[in-house]
Amino acid sequence: MPTSSDSAELFFDLLHEPLIGWRDTHGEMHQSNLPEVLAALAANQLRDFPRLRPHQRHPWHAFLVQLAAIALHHAGQTQPWLLAADWREALMALTPDESDGAPWCLVTPPGRPALLQAPVPGENPASWNNLLHAADALDMLVTSKNHDVKAARARHAQVDDWLFALLSLQTQEGFLGAGNYGISRMNGGFASRPGVGVATVGAWGQRWQTDIASLLGQRERIATNYGLAHEGGHALLWLLPWPGTEALALESLDPLYIEICRRVRLAAPQGRIQAHTTGSKVARIAAKDSNGVTGDAWTPIDTAKGKALTVSRNGFDYKLMSELIAGDGYTLGAAWRLDGWPQDAALQAIAQATVRGQGKTEGYHERRVPLSPKLRRLLAGGQRQRVAALAQKRIQAIADMRKLLWNSLALLFANGENSSGNDAISNRASRFAQPFEQQEDSRFFDDLAHHVEAEGDQQDAVYLHWLLGLAQRAEAVLLQAFDAGPRSGLQRYKARSAALSRFHGGLRGGKKPPFPELLAHYAQQRAARASAPEGQAAHV
């Protein structure tokens, strides 16, 4: 039990002090404690958190959802409370052995739990090997030579800056050298913790509430399917002492557990927060063999491989998003729900991830794809394969068009000659072809939705119209590249003529025509011109 002297050493109490900055739906700024933030979310009054960095969005959302769901389940409730006092009582009930609220403070004596920081009885964190003075230095981002996100610049950070950085480290960090182990909810030390789900378009509280309902509704299924404790499991892992030599078994954890992966203790000499960190002999959770398959509500699982999704440097491009939305290659988590929504609800698929590499970061990626009522009816009503087939057909068409464009560009840059084996020309053609695919990526789902919304024979017409536009956009890229091609007169005309000839020849035929719809369309045009009266043929 805590003593009075221990209680005097508690600082930055999130249960009572207004330490978290947020804006309401009218854009007005507020400073609140954690129970008040949860109450604002329950009332759907909260729009965003201005000091939250983009890569911290999913960890913070997941934390607020998991914490609320754990508290509601513990209290036997199904609906979020609207009063901050009720939330405060519920959070205190999760830590009955800590009557002074130490587990909800950012700074406590080393032998006692602090928020997202395990107790380290008998140790002096001041003697640990790392001391960090900036909040962003604690965060999980790995930067190199300060090229992208500047390192350790938040030396005058607010308290919630430290909170968000600590949460980012403890709930989405991977392996970073000996003694620095990552979280259980990712497939390997160099993977990522994705955040994939379905939500309504609107304020932060809407998604928070629906995700809580999904977690509570699937809690038993998660426990059964992933070998977690149905009742009595560890939910808030910072409550348990951790000397760095002991790992927790998955079966000892609550289905909605909030983990920590590093030994960190915050201190506040002269009122300014700093962080002491050190390594551990083992990971906090013994989950290496699980490959990230832990029942996380926002993590898709590669069905065939039995591994959590690892997002590549390409992020959530149109290929991956198509597979997540309509394919059968991934088993999606509890936060992916297409049924049970109001008919007029404006839904979107949300995908977020900070992509990690070996000793580096491959960028933060976020994508939101609108899900029309008809599209979600098809996806939820047994026609998922049809949508997947339409998406795959378009993906293949983009790949074939890019290949044709690349071949034409390579011929242009080779002055109309064979460029086989010339790496410089190949790289140049790839560089000029890349914007084409990026452009198609940005419009892919709007075009696909138009295709899906079409009825009957209109679908063929919609697809042909899109295919004609695809060819026009590819040709525009080729024409723009003419300025970078040969400049001398003879070579310039030869190269341009050869490139255009290859491009248009590829559209209209070949041994295995990649675009049979275009081939039929052009043939129909030729037949119409041939049969038209002499004065009208030019207009067909």
Side-chain angles (χ1 to χ4, degrees):
M1 294 295 292
T3 65
S4 58
S5 59
D6 283 344
S7 298
E9 299 179 53
L10 307 182
F11 301 98
F12 307 113
D13 177 4
L14 269 77
L15 287 185
H16 299 91
E17 298 180 46
L19 302 174
I20 303 172
W22 57 280
R23 280 186 298 203
D24 63 26
T25 52
H26 301 290
E28 295 184 10
M29 191 70 189
H30 301 263
Q31 285 289 132
S32 300
N33 56 47
L34 181 56
E36 289 169 343
V37 167
L38 294 172
L41 286 167
N44 200 28
Q45 297 171 340
L46 193 151
R47 187 176 81 184
D48 60 11
F49 299 87
R51 286 193 286 272
L52 192 68
R53 303 172 81 186
H55 72 280
Q56 298 168 340
R57 289 173 188 157
H58 175 60
W60 181 235
H61 169 74
F63 171 79
L64 293 172
V65 171
Q66 290 169 272
L67 182 62
I70 290 168
L72 287 165
H73 175 76
H74 187 268
Q77 299 292 315
T78 57
Q79 296 297 319
W81 296 284
L82 294 174
L83 298 179
D86 293 331
W87 281 111
R88 186 175 296 108
E89 181 180 352
L91 295 181
M92 285 294 294
L94 298 178
T95 59
D97 296 331
E98 306 290 344
S99 58
D100 57 1
W104 307 103
C105 299
L106 285 178
V107 176
T108 70
R112 301 195 59 198
L115 184 62
L116 297 165
Q117 306 159 67
V120 286
E123 296 187 59
N124 179 14
S127 66
W128 288 355
N129 50 350
N130 291 317
L131 174 61
L132 307 174
H133 293 281
D136 53 336
L138 178 65
D139 206 336
M140 60 83 64
L141 283 181
V142 178
T143 53
S144 175
K145 298 181 181 178
N146 282 336
H147 285 331
D148 188 7
V149 179
K150 302 299 183 183
R153 65 177 181 173
R155 292 180 176 270
H156 301 285
Q158 301 295 319
V159 174
D160 54 357
D161 290 318
W162 281 97
L163 169 64
F164 299 147
L166 177 63
L167 179 71
S168 177
L169 173 78
Q170 295 287 44
T171 64
Q172 69 169 348
E173 182 61 292
F175 179 78
L176 197 63
N180 296 309
Y181 294 93
I183 63 171
S184 63
R185 287 187 160 126
M186 65 169 58
N187 176 27
F190 304 119
S192 52
R193 183 191 180 188
V196 177
V198 173
T200 53
V201 178
W204 194 297
Q206 291 176 299
R207 185 186 179 197
W208 176 80
Q209 292 181 47
T210 55
D211 279 359
I212 289 173
S214 296
L215 262 65
L216 290 175
Q218 298 197 42
R219 187 180 186 281
E220 290 301 308
R221 181 193 64 81
I222 293 171
T224 299
N225 291 354
Y226 300 98
L228 297 157
H230 286 267
E231 295 294 339
H234 303 301
L236 312 179
L237 300 197
W238 64 88
L239 300 180
L240 307 173
W242 186 27
T245 57
E246 302 168 352
L248 297 171
L250 271 176
E251 55 265 27
S252 70
L253 306 182
D254 185 272
L256 311 180
Y257 69 93
I258 302 174
E259 68 181 308
I260 59 173
C261 66
R262 298 291 175 83
R263 300 216 305 150
V264 179
R265 295 296 304 194
L266 300 185
Q270 288 79 52
R272 295 191 61 178
I273 298 179
Q274 61 186 29
H276 299 276
T277 69
T278 191
S280 60
K281 298 292 185 182
V282 296
R284 187 61 181 117
I285 300 173
K288 183 178 181 180
D289 294 337
S290 72
N291 297 316
V293 182
T294 62
D296 183 49
W298 301 273
T299 299
I301 304 301
D302 186 314
T303 307
K305 297 180 180 179
K307 296 180 178 181
L309 167 66
T310 297
V311 182
S312 73
R313 67 173 63 186
N314 295 327
F316 296 98
D317 63 7
Y318 65 105
K319 301 171 189 175
L320 176 57
M321 284 301 294
S322 295
E323 183 62 33
L324 291 174
I325 291 173
D328 56 7
Y330 291 95
T331 302
L332 300 172
W336 187 273
R337 181 168 60 86
L338 292 170
D339 55 358
W341 300 93
Q343 179 63 29
D344 59 348
L347 295 189
Q348 59 184 342
I350 300 177
Q352 303 162 296
T354 301
V355 178
R356 304 182 68 259
Q358 189 165 352
K360 59 183 178 180
T361 302
E362 300 282 8
Y364 172 72
H365 301 271
E366 179 171 327
R367 188 160 193 169
R368 296 169 185 255
V369 176
L371 300 174
S372 68
K374 181 173 182 179
L375 177 57
R376 67 178 191 252
R377 283 199 307 271
L378 293 174
L379 292 173
Q383 297 196 54
R384 187 186 185 94
Q385 290 184 344
R386 176 189 162 212
V387 177
L390 293 177
Q392 188 56 46
K393 186 176 182 180
R394 286 170 173 262
I395 290 171
Q396 186 60 53
I398 293 172
D400 290 337
M401 192 67 73
R402 185 192 183 281
K403 181 179 179 181
L404 177 58
L405 173 62
W406 186 94
N407 287 331
S408 304
L409 287 166
L411 192 60
L412 172 71
F413 297 139
N415 301 330
E417 304 289 342
N418 187 355
S419 64
S420 178
N422 190 320
D423 290 341
I425 290 177
S426 296
N427 293 336
R428 195 178 185 193
S430 297
R431 188 169 67 253
F432 275 79
Q434 185 177 15
F436 166 73
E437 189 168 16
Q438 290 175 336
Q439 177 183 236
E440 295 310 312
D441 188 327
S442 66
R443 59 179 295 160
F444 182 86
F445 290 101
D446 288 337
D447 290 338
L448 178 62
H450 187 47
H451 196 170
V452 170
E453 294 286 342
E455 299 289 345
D457 294 340
Q458 291 181 346
Q459 286 205 343
D460 291 339
V462 167
Y463 181 72
L464 176 61
H465 179 75
W466 173 78
L467 205 55
L468 288 167
L470 186 71
Q472 291 173 355
R473 293 189 291 274
E475 184 174 5
V477 173
L478 177 60
L479 294 175
Q480 289 170 0
F482 279 4
D483 291 337
R487 295 302 181 92
S488 65
L490 182 60
Q491 287 186 330
R492 179 175 63 205
Y493 294 125
K494 176 186 175 183
R496 293 181 179 183
S497 176
L500 281 173
S501 178
R502 175 168 292 185
F503 182 77
H504 288 292
L507 292 178
R508 286 166 169 78
K511 293 181 180 180
K512 293 182 178 180
F515 311 107
E517 295 86 357
L518 287 183
L519 197 61
H521 173 72
Y522 295 139
Q524 186 178 23
Q525 282 187 326
R526 288 194 300 270
R529 283 195 297 266
S531 62
E534 184 176 344
Q536 299 178 13
H539 301 286
V540 176

